[in-house]
Amino acid sequence: MFSSQSPQENGESPKGDITLKDAKGKTLECYIEHSLELEGCQYLLLLPVDSPIEIVAWDDTDDEDLADASLVEDEAQLDLIFPDAQAVLAEQNLQLKRTAFTLTVAGELPPVDEDDILTLEIEEDDVPMEAEELQELASFYYEEQEYGIYTPVEPLLFFARSNQSGQPELLSTQEIKQVQPLLEELLFDDLE
């Protein structure tokens, strides 16, 4: 996806906001970073209003340098650990939310500290993706399992398009691959 500063960071006011909704009815409030018309379809580049969160489960090994991390994505596991994650973030005046497409946290994040950065390499369908840098916000234990709560260092952006009723819909991975080069070209032209 694209990397962009949030409207507050670059001194601009948001260009509008929109609500994404998932199949379960959860919502995610987003700023519209860019809006482009392409072949009769309106495409949107969206930045969540609140900061995205990843929860990581740590697998203990005898060698601390070789500890394995895995993203917690299972809904049942999230249900179990969510109250503890909420409580540990509340100590930092951060409010953890169960939003559509990603967990988010409202409140002022601490400044980025290089010592608190985790580089996570994720594979999707056995294809390595770019490494993602995450800033640690907190850690906690649930039933002797260690968890870390992280936020991406680079903003998480979503590609969407307006459907026939004017509601935003996230693009599928296949659609993103098809239109991303065109959108990037138009965005770079727009920025110049």
Side-chain angles (χ1 to χ4, degrees):
M1 302 236 172
F2 290 108
S3 175
S4 173
Q5 291 182 319
S6 72
Q8 294 84 3
E9 290 174 340
N10 63 20
E12 297 174 13
S13 62
K15 298 176 178 134
D17 59 338
I18 201 162
T19 302
L20 288 173
K21 196 174 201 177
D22 69 8
K24 296 178 182 175
K26 291 187 283 186
T27 60
L28 178 65
E29 297 295 320
C30 294
Y31 296 118
I32 300 173
E33 286 292 294
H34 291 284
S35 175
L36 300 168
E37 186 84 19
L38 181 63
E39 298 176 6
C41 190
Q42 182 181 19
Y43 291 94
L44 306 167
L45 185 61
L46 305 173
L47 174 69
V49 170
D50 294 321
S51 300
I53 292 296
E54 297 283 358
I55 298 180
V56 173
W58 289 101
D59 296 325
D60 288 333
T61 63
D62 292 335
D63 186 351
E64 204 172 284
D65 294 333
L66 297 176
D68 277 338
S70 58
L71 292 177
V72 177
E73 298 176 311
D74 178 65
E75 289 293 321
Q77 188 178 8
L78 278 173
D79 288 342
L80 292 173
I81 64 173
F82 194 80
D84 290 349
Q86 270 185 315
V88 76
L89 287 172
E91 293 173 5
Q92 299 180 39
N93 295 321
L94 297 171
Q95 180 189 7
L96 183 60
K97 299 178 182 181
R98 214 72 198 254
T99 50
F101 309 109
T102 184
L103 295 174
T104 58
V105 67
E108 187 173 337
L109 296 178
V112 176
D113 181 350
E114 291 300 319
D115 293 335
D116 293 335
I117 299 295
L118 169 70
T119 302
L120 198 58
E121 295 181 21
I122 301 170
E123 287 186 10
E124 193 169 293
D125 300 326
D126 294 328
V127 177
M129 298 174 64
E130 283 185 38
E132 184 176 12
E133 288 189 327
L134 302 169
Q135 174 187 353
E136 183 178 23
L137 298 177
S139 63
F140 65 97
Y141 283 86
Y142 179 82
E143 294 185 356
E144 299 182 23
Q145 170 68 57
E146 183 181 5
Y147 294 92
I149 304 172
Y150 294 84
T151 187
V153 172
E154 295 292 322
L156 175 65
L157 299 168
F158 292 95
F159 282 117
R161 72 165 171 271
S162 293
N163 64 20
Q164 293 174 345
S165 61
Q167 298 300 313
E169 289 180 346
L170 283 186
L171 297 181
S172 69
T173 305
Q174 184 65 22
E175 291 171 308
I176 290 172
K177 288 178 183 176
Q178 291 173 347
V179 299
Q180 186 172 1
L182 298 170
L183 293 174
E184 286 176 346
E185 184 179 318
L186 289 172
L187 283 173
F188 288 126
D189 288 349
D190 190 38
L191 294 174
E192 291 178 350

